[in-house]
Amino acid sequence: MTHSYDAIIIGTGQAGPFLAKRLSQAGMSVAIVERHLFGGTCVNTGCMPTKAMVASAYAAHMARRAADFGVVVGGHVGVDMKSVKARKDAIVERARAGIEKMLRGLPRSAVYTGHARMRAAHEVTVGDDVLRADRIFINVGGRAAIPSMPGLDRVPYLTNSSMMNLDTVPPHLVIIGGSYVGLEFGQMFRRFGSRVTIVEMAPRLVQHEDADVSAAIHDVLTSEGIGVRVNARCVRVSGTTDSVIAHIDCSEGRPAVEGSHLLLAVGRQPNTDDLGLDAAGVRRDERGYIAVNDQLETNVPGVWALGDCNGKGAFTHTAYNDFEIVASNLLDGTRRGVSERIPAYALYIDPPLGRAGLTEAEARRRGRPMLVGQLPMTRVGRAIEKSETNGLMKIVVDDQSNEILGAAVLGTGGDEVIHCVLDTMYAKAPYTLLKRAMHIHPTVSEFIPTLLDALKPATGGASA
Ligand SMILES: Cc1cc2nc3c(=O)[nH]c(=O)nc-3n(C[C@H](O)[C@H](O)[C@H](O)COP(=O)(O)OP(=O)(O)OC[C@H]3O[C@@H](n4cnc5c(N)ncnc54)[C@H](O)[C@@H]3O)c2cc1C
């Protein structure tokens, strides 16, 4: 049966639902299609559940450190993984139900549950239904990439999605991939009581970050007893009835790591492979991301792609910002584009890493004079008071314009503190403005002016 709407939204991640609401408020009829869980990755298998579990892991960690604060916790600190999971599930279910309820309540709109495929530029099939609209918004997100590695067809493995079902603590979790997802799960499960080994093929963890930031993260993790293997490419996996073995191509260390569970955290791939994009004439790039312009329009007029599937971002805030851009351009008459945004993200290990703009290494590649400031968290009063002095802050400034190019705050509250730098960057204000600002004591943010006091001309090559 064919149904016509003003707009079709495929996927209910971090852009689609908000756009559906705005379009509906503007008087349009909207068809919303979701094949699995309302709220997508962030709500069900990404940000929300992992941060809920990180909070449980932090509580366990602080309970073990209680004596450092003069607090007496009697006996062994244990973790009840079933309760950790139940708390996480309750948080997720509330958010998921809220999104579904909001979507089902939109006037002039309908929710279809099933896999959507485009069969023409403006036609989408969902089961036996054919949906037609002049405006189509693709918000299909991504999934864990599974490498074509010998043995993976015979050995059980976990991804960020199946990790959500664990209600026991793995005795030894082997994680392939030392980037954001791998590190968050690694520290979390170490704190839950697992032995954890992270296997990373690059010479260092989170290799996109500067070497000093990466080294500080390495120290944080190894100080908690996490095994880290770098320069270690997992080439195949094998297993016995109760163990998995990652076989490693490496010049140092043992050529195999044996554990009880295997987590693959080697990146993400867009859900664009079974979407009928060819039938619709929508172009993808060589990695499968839907090609879009600065306003997130595809090559087919009237078809947009938002969120992780367009390759312009890989975060909830980038997907939400995509919604804001499309809504502004379509409904508010204000022209906005992706090029206006400044890269920003956080890594939710403890302490968290907050990042804005360029790394030092990226800034150096511009070949312009610049200033770099650094401050260890051991200098920050607030961190000392909390006995959480791991990490460092650094900032990079253009020596001619005085504009801030980028910053990293690896330290307690780093995910929040970074915003005072980020907002100054959006304001295109000189760093001297932030240097003169009076911040509240005692906070980590009050040390941003001190960090700026420490600026020195960058010397040497692109070693960072
Ligand atoms: C472990 C982990 C932790 C993360 N932590 C953070 C974090 O702390 N902060 C942060 O900013 N980001 C984080 N992310 C990234 C964040 O989750 C994603 O960037 C974000 O969810 C992307 O949203 P999206 O709207 O692009 O798509 P998604 O949230 O992936 O949603 C896409 C939706 O489309 C549906 N869909 C797909 N194909 C079809 C189809 N053909 N028909 C119908 N429906 C379809 C899917 O079922 C899904 O519901 C994390 C990711 C992971 C994996």
Side-chain angles (χ1 to χ4, degrees):
M1 194 170 163
T2 303
H3 313 267
S4 290
Y5 294 91
D6 293 319
I8 300 169
I9 294 179
I10 307 176
T12 64
Q14 293 305 304
F18 309 101
L19 187 59
K21 189 172 176 186
R22 282 294 317 273
L23 295 172
S24 167
Q25 284 169 343
M28 292 188 207
S29 59
V30 187
I32 301 130
V33 193
E34 174 53 57
R35 70 174 178 189
H36 191 36
L37 299 172
F38 287 84
T41 309
C42 174
V43 168
N44 297 286
T45 59
C47 335
M48 236 181 175
T50 53
K51 269 80 252 184
M53 291 162 78
V54 161
S56 292
Y58 182 71
H61 179 67
M62 291 310 278
R64 289 186 194 109
R65 291 191 59 202
D68 296 351
F69 299 85
V71 175
V72 180
V73 174
H76 166 75
V77 174
V79 170
D80 173 3
M81 204 53 212
K82 287 189 174 44
S83 300
V84 170
K85 180 175 179 299
R87 174 180 179 274
K88 176 267 293 177
D89 287 345
I91 292 169
V92 166
E93 277 156 24
R94 203 173 311 124
R96 182 166 61 221
I99 290 174
E100 179 169 1
K101 187 169 173 221
M102 183 275 283
L103 291 173
R104 290 196 186 278
L106 292 179
R108 294 171 294 278
S109 302
V111 170
Y112 292 82
T113 48
H115 185 99
R117 257 179 221 96
M118 298 181 79
R119 70 170 197 185
H122 292 279
E123 276 182 11
V124 173
T125 61
V126 187
D128 295 335
D129 290 306
V130 177
L131 314 180
R132 250 221 110 263
D134 288 343
R135 300 168 198 81
I136 296 188
F137 303 94
I138 305 171
N139 178 219
V140 291
R143 60 185 186 270
I146 309 301
S148 52
M149 189 186 289
L152 274 183
D153 51 343
R154 274 166 281 125
V155 169
Y157 60 84
L158 295 154
T159 65
N160 67 289
S161 300
S162 47
M163 285 297 282
M164 296 300 135
N165 303 327
L166 282 185
D167 63 1
T168 55
V169 176
H172 184 179
L173 180 63
V174 177
I175 301 176
I176 310 296
S179 199
Y180 307 89
V181 172
L183 300 195
E184 288 184 13
F185 278 117
Q187 189 187 47
M188 177 199 306
F189 274 84
R190 177 68 190 144
R191 290 178 170 192
F192 290 154
S194 294
R195 188 176 157 202
V196 171
T197 307
I198 297 172
V199 178
E200 168 55 54
M201 66 180 180
R204 52 191 174 82
L205 296 174
V206 279
Q207 57 166 332
H208 305 296
E209 303 301 338
D210 285 334
D212 47 4
V213 173
S214 169
I217 289 170
H218 190 284
D219 289 349
V220 165
L221 298 178
T222 52
S223 72
E224 293 189 21
I226 295 172
V228 176
R229 299 284 308 268
V230 289
N231 285 314
R233 177 189 289 270
C234 181
V235 286
R236 73 183 173 92
V237 294
S238 61
T240 63
T241 41
D242 52 6
S243 76
V244 285
I245 304 166
H247 300 269
I248 293 167
D249 180 9
C250 55
S251 52
E252 266 175 39
R254 296 178 54 206
V257 179
E258 184 170 356
S260 60
H261 293 66
L262 180 71
L263 167 62
L264 295 179
V266 295
R268 310 275 301 162
Q269 74 176 80
N271 289 326
T272 54
D273 40 353
D274 185 17
L275 200 53
L277 292 178
D278 292 341
V282 174
R283 240 190 343 255
R284 283 182 289 170
D285 70 15
E286 62 290 346
R287 293 176 308 149
Y289 291 100
I290 298 174
V292 289
N293 64 14
D294 203 40
Q295 278 68 47
L296 305 169
E297 296 158 320
T298 69
N299 61 304
V300 175
V303 180
W304 289 256
L306 301 85
D308 284 11
C309 69
N310 66 25
K312 301 264 183 203
F315 300 98
T316 284
H317 46 276
T318 48
Y320 188 83
N321 187 245
D322 284 0
F323 143 67
E324 292 182 316
I325 289 167
V326 170
S328 284
N329 293 335
L330 279 182
L331 304 172
D332 302 335
T334 328
R335 195 161 173 82
R336 285 178 66 173
V338 183
S339 52
E340 291 164 37
R341 70 187 179 211
I342 297 169
Y345 51 87
L347 163 64
Y348 288 92
I349 56 165
D350 170 37
L353 168 69
R355 281 271 299 108
L358 303 179
T359 62
E360 181 185 345
E362 286 166 344
R364 277 177 190 275
R365 285 198 280 276
R366 298 160 75 243
R368 286 162 50 114
M370 59 185 217
L371 307 170
V372 181
Q374 281 225 27
L375 196 72
M377 290 301 287
T378 46
R379 292 262 319 273
V380 176
R382 181 77 168 140
I384 294 166
E385 289 143 15
K386 293 169 80 178
S387 284
E388 296 189 11
T389 51
N390 281 330
L392 58 93
M393 300 190 210
K394 68 185 290 190
I395 197 157
V396 185
V397 169
D398 186 302
D399 199 13
Q400 282 161 353
S401 68
N402 279 350
E403 280 187 25
I404 299 170
L405 300 173
V409 181
L410 174 69
T412 181
D415 53 328
E416 299 288 349
V417 174
I418 197 70
H419 286 90
C420 73
V421 177
L422 184 60
D423 293 342
T424 309
M425 292 173 73
Y426 272 112
K428 294 190 181 303
Y431 79 89
T432 43
L433 178 108
L434 192 50
K435 198 171 151 182
R436 284 188 207 134
M438 182 188 76
H439 286 181
I440 295 166
H441 174 76
T443 59
V444 177
S445 301
E446 74 176 324
F447 276 80
I448 296 289
T450 313
L451 173 66
L452 291 166
D453 261 342
L455 283 173
K456 290 194 180 66
T459 51
S463 60

